Amino acid sequence: MRVISGLWRWRGNPLCRASDLAEAWVALTALLLTVSVAPLIGVLVGGAAQGTLQRSVREQHESRHRVTATVVRALERSPLAVDPEGASGEDVRSRVLAAWTGPDGSRHEANVLVAIDDPDSGDRFALWTDARGRAVARPLDSATATTHAVLAGTGTAVAAAALVEVARRIVVWRLVRRRYARLEQEWERAGPDWGRTGAGS
């Protein structure tokens, strides 16, 4: 509103310089772009990210299978054994030698991380595998994918608004520099006669 009132104030004002009017129009344009175009870009990017991520969710759920594995024996716990996909990022996991049967009927045995605090031989736990029975990370869930898409859209909208603001500041900076350069030229012309009586001013 201040920009619009500023434009109205300069309307028909004899003290209005061309650079003042240009600065007001630049501010109004930046405001309109920030309010309308930046959110639109954010929505478009968020929508595209949502479509891509949801497709990835479907593909992962089709290609990954949940099987039941059995602990053969516990292994020495690694000090860095944490679950990166846990809610807090600090869910301690234990390393075990586990055995399981893949979706294709093949038998597998490998070292894996499990969310069991004190694993014993014979403990059972869920494990995600590919079609050949190899252990893989659990598939991305739909809610997490939506959260990532929203963050992508929001981040893009904020970045677009910041870019508009940077462009506005650069244009205003150039206008102010040009204004000061003209003032210096005028001062150099009037400077030698400044304060001199009868200098024709």
Side-chain angles (χ1 to χ4, degrees), residues 7 20 22 35 52-53 69 100 103 123 149 153-154 159 182 184 196:
L7 278 171
D20 293 324
V35 169
T52 301
L53 287 169
W100 67 90
D123 286 348
T154 303
R182 286 184 183 158
E184 285 220 11
R196 191 181 299 167

Side-chain angles (χ1 to χ4, degrees), residues 117-182:
D117 189 32
D118 189 18
D120 286 326
S121 297
D123 286 348
R124 297 169 75 79
F125 61 95
L127 180 73
W128 288 94
T129 69
D130 62 11
R132 295 183 179 179
R134 293 175 295 197
V136 294
R138 70 171 171 239
L140 184 67
D141 63 272
S142 183
T144 303
T146 299
T147 301
H148 288 318
V150 169
L151 290 174
T154 303
T156 303
V158 169
L163 188 62
V164 168
E165 177 61 15
V166 167
R168 184 196 70 80
R169 286 176 184 258
I170 290 172
V171 171
V172 169
W173 175 74
R174 292 189 62 155
L175 288 170
V176 169
R177 278 183 55 110
R178 189 177 301 162
R179 186 182 302 155
Y180 285 152
R182 286 184 183 158

Side-chain angles (χ1 to χ4, degrees), residues 40-85:
L40 178 63
I41 292 172
V43 167
L44 292 175
V45 169
Q50 173 76 341
T52 301
L53 287 169
Q54 291 300 336
R55 195 175 319 114
S56 179
V57 167
R58 285 191 300 275
E59 289 171 0
Q60 287 184 15
H61 278 277
E62 288 171 4
S63 64
R64 299 180 188 186
H65 308 276
R66 188 177 173 135
V67 299
T68 301
T70 305
V71 175
V72 176
R73 71 173 183 276
L75 301 173
E76 184 180 340
R77 179 177 283 181
S78 167
L80 300 176
V82 293
D83 182 7
E85 297 179 3

